[in-house]
Structures are given as C-alpha cells and as structure tokens.
C-alpha cells in the first residue's frame, strides 16, 4: 500500500473522532463554528474521493498508454521481423548475385577457352602453316580474348573481395607452394612478353601461414600480373619472399614484387589503391586494366591484418610490398 | 620436350574443347582416350587404362566430382593421377575437388593447351608436379 493512501486513512479516522466530539452535546463550541468545522471535515472527506477519482482517471490514462505501448511494441516486433526477413532476403540476393556471377563467368569462360586455345594453336602453327602477317592478326585476337578473360577473372575476384573478414576462411597454407601455383599461370605470358622473372625464395621447404589461400593468391596474382603488364619488352621482374621477421614477437612474411617498367607518376601515388583508378601513363601506354586489381588487393591484405605499400619512380619501375602475419588470431 | 609415351583420358562434354585438347595432346605424343560424360568416364578409364585423366567438372548426369570419387574408390584406379580441368574455379570448387582426390586443378580459360601439355609432361615425366619456371 502506498504511503499517501495510509496518510489519508489516518486523516479520515482523525476526522471521524473530531466529528464525534463536535456533534456531542457536551461540546463547548457554538453552532456556527460547529457548522464551519463540519464543512471542513466534509471537504476533507470529499477531497480524498476526488483525488482517488482523478487517480483512477490517471490510472485509466495509464492503461490507455499501456495499450498504446503494447500496440507500438507489436508494431516494432513486426518491423523487426520484417527487417529480419528483408535481411535474409538481402543475404539470399547476395548469394544469388554471387551465384549468378559465378555461373555467368563459367558460361563465358568456356567459349573464351575455345577461342583462346584455337588462336594460340594456330599461332604456334599446330594446326598448319601460318604467314607472318596472319600471325600478327592471330596474336591480336589472342590478346583480345586474354583481356576478356582477365576482366571476367577480376569481376569474380571483385565479388569475392567485397567479403568481410568473417567471410574469410583462414587456413594453414604453405605460401611457397601458393606462390608456385600463381607463378605457373604466368609461364606462358612471360614467354610471350619476353619478360624475365627472378624469384628469391627463402632456403626452406615450406613457409606456413594462416591465410585465405584463394583470396591471398589473388593478391600475388595481381601484383605479378601488373609487374609483367607494366614492364617493357625484355624487362625484368623480381619476386622476393622475405622471412626476416618470422621469429619476431609478431611473426610475419613479406612479399616484394618489383619491375623495371614504366613506373607510376608521383602525382598518382596517392590514388593508386583507389577503386577504378588508372594511372595516366598506364592509360597512355594503352595497357589494358580495369583499375580494380590494386583496390581488391589492398582490401584482401587488410582483411588478413597485413599491409601493402609501394615505391615507384616514373620511367624506372615499381616495387610493391605485402606483409602478412603468420597467425590470424594471435595478432 | 618429348614426353614418356602414355595415354591420357580426356573427360569433356564440349565437343570442340575435347577435339582441340585431343589434337594438342596427340601432337605431344600421347595416345588419347575420351569420355563425353561422367557416367561412362569410369568405365572408359577401366578399359583404356590411361596414365592420367584430364577431368572436366560440369558434365551431364554424373558430375566430375562424383567421377573423381568413383575413381578414388576403385581399387584399379585409385592411384591414377587426375588433373581437374574446368572453368569452375571458385574456392569451394577447388576445395571440393581436392577433397575428392584431385592431383591438380587448372582453370581452362587461364591456361593454354601448351601449358596443359607441359603440366602433363612434368607430372608423367618426373612422376610429380612440374616445377614452375622461375
């Protein structure tokens, strides 16, 4: 029971006693004063009633508020449920979109493989003799097919690289084997462009780190591809694997990919990791590219809690560095 | 360049890709056997006794992953080298193929048939994966 209600009970009891005395014949007070006091008592008795009644009104108002709150709460719950459904639909749509991209890529890659293989076999005279002039056209056709394939690959990579860190699958991976797999894909391109490749690797059988192998190989692939692409004919690219910081408190591996190619103008240095940015001299040199590769690489390296940076001098070449920690959960 | 002679089983449903691959491998000095779907692949492998299988993944009916599992479950075929040669290439596909027992995974569009030939030469010649040119 609330304190003010008890107080009203005491007051009411006190007033009853007073009324009893006032109404008694032995009371010393006169009739006028008695009437005045009785009116006061009446007011005192009515007042709590009025207060109680208004309290009921307030209580009724409270109930209305509560009903309102309940219905608002229901509305909120419905909205939350609707949002959850939307979120699930969005996630589903994202899966659908990724699925669509993957299946479209597959659909496009199959005829492109046929075009690429045919042109390359003709160029190599594996399907009969070809004149020098015909070879030139075949080479252009082959380069064009290669550009479409590269664009599709970047498209796939770009979709993958939008993932958050919790969508990464970090597994113990031998980085030296991973690098070998990446390099194997460039054998033909190196032969074609006459760019020489030197690999400096540590003197050890394997180098295990926790990476998402598919995504991390995209980074190496992109850096090596850029190095070849922006090299001059018969240029030299170097790929180094540095393990000096392997026994430090925060063990990490560094990959260095350098070329002696066209370099990046100083004015473009701050923009090089921006999405769809392409350096003016790369565009001038008519070197194909979507401008997505480095922004994807940066994202992937950062999701690995690593760092990526570069040094470059226009006309002299570019060196990219990627540092990746050995452990993902002890960082 | 001259490889140890051997027989390569090409499991590929696309007629044109299959004929180009066969032509290139024959030029390389290999005998070629072909299977056009997953269902017949294991039987062809048992009959032809190839030295290596070049296996596509998306095939009508039984897919390449299942062919790989059947090859690995067969006593006569379980040590047969299998190179998956597909245009699928998402991480899940590569992992699934590795789990099923693939020795290598090549994405068709990213390689030329010359690369495939030298990969096979390396694997059959040296009895292991070709060392990358560095």
């Amino acid at each position: 029971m609330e304190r003010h209600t008890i107080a009203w009970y005491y007051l009411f009891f006190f007033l009853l006693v007073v009324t009893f005395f006032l109404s008694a014949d032995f009371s010393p007070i006169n009739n006028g004063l008695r009437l005045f006091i009785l009116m006061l008592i009446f007011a005192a008795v009515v007042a709590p009633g009025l207060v109680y009644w208004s309290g009921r009104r307030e209580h009724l108002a409270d109930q209305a508020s509560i009903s309102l709150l309940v219905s608002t709460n229901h509305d909120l719950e419905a909205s939350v449920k609707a949002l959850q459904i939307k979120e699930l639909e969005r996630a589903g749509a994202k899966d659908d979109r990724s699925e669509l991209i993957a299946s479209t890529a597959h659909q496009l890659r199959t005829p492109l493989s046929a075009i690429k293989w045919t042109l390359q076999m003709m160029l190599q005279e594996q399907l009969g003799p070809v004149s020098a002039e015909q070879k030139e056209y075949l080479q252009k056709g082959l380069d064009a097919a290669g550009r479409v394939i590269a664009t599709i690959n970047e498209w796939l990579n770009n979709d993958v690289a939008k993932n958050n860190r919790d969508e990464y699958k970090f597994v113990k991976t031998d980085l030296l084997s991973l690098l070998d797999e990446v390099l194997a894909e460039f054998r033909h391109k190196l032969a074609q462009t006459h760019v020489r490749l030197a690999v400096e690797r540590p003197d050890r059988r394997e180098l295990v780190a926790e990476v998402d192998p598919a995504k991390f190989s995209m980074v190496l692939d992109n850096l090596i591809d850029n190095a070849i692409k922006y090299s001059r004919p018969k240029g030299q690219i170097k790929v180094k694997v540095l393990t000096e910081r392997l026994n430090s408190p925060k063990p990490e591996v560094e990959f260095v990919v350098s070329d002696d190619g066209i370099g990046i103008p100083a004015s473009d240095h701050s923009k090089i990791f921006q999405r769809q940015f392409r350096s003016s001299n790369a565009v001038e040199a008519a070197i194909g590219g979507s401008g997505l590769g480095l922004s994807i690489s940066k994202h992937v390296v950062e999701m690995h809690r690593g760092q990526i940076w570069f040094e470059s001098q226009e006309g002299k070449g570019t060196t990219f560095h990627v540092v990746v920690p050995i452990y993902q959960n002890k960082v | 360049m001259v490889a140890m002679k051997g027989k390569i089983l090409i499991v590929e449903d696309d007629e044109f890709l299959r004929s180009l691959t066969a032509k290139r491998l024959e030029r390389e000095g290999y005998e070629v056997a072909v299977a056009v779907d997953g269902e017949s692949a294991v039987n062809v492998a048992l009959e032809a006794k190839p030295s290596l299988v070049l296996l596509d993944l998306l095939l009508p009916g039984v897919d390449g992953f299942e062919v790989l599992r059947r090859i690995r479950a067969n006593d006569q075929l379980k040590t047969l080298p299998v190179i998956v040669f597909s245009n699928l290439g998402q991480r899940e596909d590569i992992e699934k193929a590795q789990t099923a027992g693939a020795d290598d995974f090549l994405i068709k569009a990213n390689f030329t048939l010359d690369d495939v030939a030298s990969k096979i030469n390396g694997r059959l010649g040296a009895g292991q994966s070709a060392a990358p040119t560095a």
Side-chain angles (χ1 to χ4, degrees), chain B residues 22-53:
Chain B
K23 202 171 183 73
R24 181 65 189 85
L25 293 181
E26 279 165 357
R27 271 188 70 86
E28 199 67 23
Y30 290 105
E31 204 181 327
V32 168
V34 296
V36 299
D37 56 36
E39 196 62 58
S40 63
V42 176
N43 286 337
V44 177
L46 285 167
E47 281 167 28
K49 298 188 173 33
S51 329
L52 185 144
V53 181

Side-chain angles (χ1 to χ4, degrees), chain B:
Chain B
M1 153 93 186
V2 177
M4 283 166 63
K5 279 222 166 188
K7 191 188 279 182
I8 312 296
L9 169 60
I10 302 169
V11 186
E12 169 68 66
D13 63 322
D14 187 292
E15 197 273 328
F16 186 53
L17 293 188
R18 192 171 64 234
S19 66
L20 281 177
T21 313
K23 202 171 183 73
R24 181 65 189 85
L25 293 181
E26 279 165 357
R27 271 188 70 86
E28 199 67 23
Y30 290 105
E31 204 181 327
V32 168
V34 296
V36 299
D37 56 36
E39 196 62 58
S40 63
V42 176
N43 286 337
V44 177
L46 285 167
E47 281 167 28
K49 298 188 173 33
S51 329
L52 185 144
V53 181
L54 207 51
L55 176 67
D56 189 17
L57 289 177
L58 284 187
L59 296 164
V62 176
D63 68 13
F65 296 111
E66 181 55 29
V67 172
L68 197 47
R69 279 188 281 268
R70 290 185 190 178
I71 286 175
R72 291 292 172 249
N74 187 300
D75 280 346
Q76 292 178 58
L77 302 174
K78 62 183 171 196
T79 57
L80 182 62
V82 177
I83 296 180
V84 169
F85 193 39
S86 171
N87 268 324
L88 291 181
Q90 298 298 88
R91 182 184 62 199
E92 296 76 22
D93 307 319
I94 297 174
E95 279 174 4
K96 207 169 150 188
Q98 281 169 342
T99 311
D103 293 288
D104 213 334
F105 194 113
L106 303 180
I107 297 168
K108 286 177 195 162
N110 293 354
F111 289 88
T112 64
L113 290 174
D114 283 0
D115 298 324
V116 177
S118 51
K119 198 103 185 171
I120 293 174
N121 288 343
R123 189 163 281 276
L124 293 183
Q128 59 178 24
S129 165
T133 323

Side-chain angles (χ1 to χ4, degrees), chain A residues 110-154:
Chain A
T110 301
L112 282 166
S113 307
I115 294 167
K116 177 177 171 175
W117 297 355
T118 312
L119 293 173
Q120 200 261 341
M121 283 175 85
M122 288 174 83
L123 199 57
Q124 300 291 318
E125 301 196 327
Q126 290 165 359
L127 301 174
V130 181
S131 74
E133 194 193 355
Q134 285 169 330
K135 275 189 184 174
E136 236 176 84
Y137 285 105
L138 290 170
Q139 184 61 57
K140 282 181 181 158
L142 186 62
D143 291 346
R147 281 199 295 276
V148 183
I149 291 167
T151 305
I152 291 170
N153 290 348
E154 279 197 352

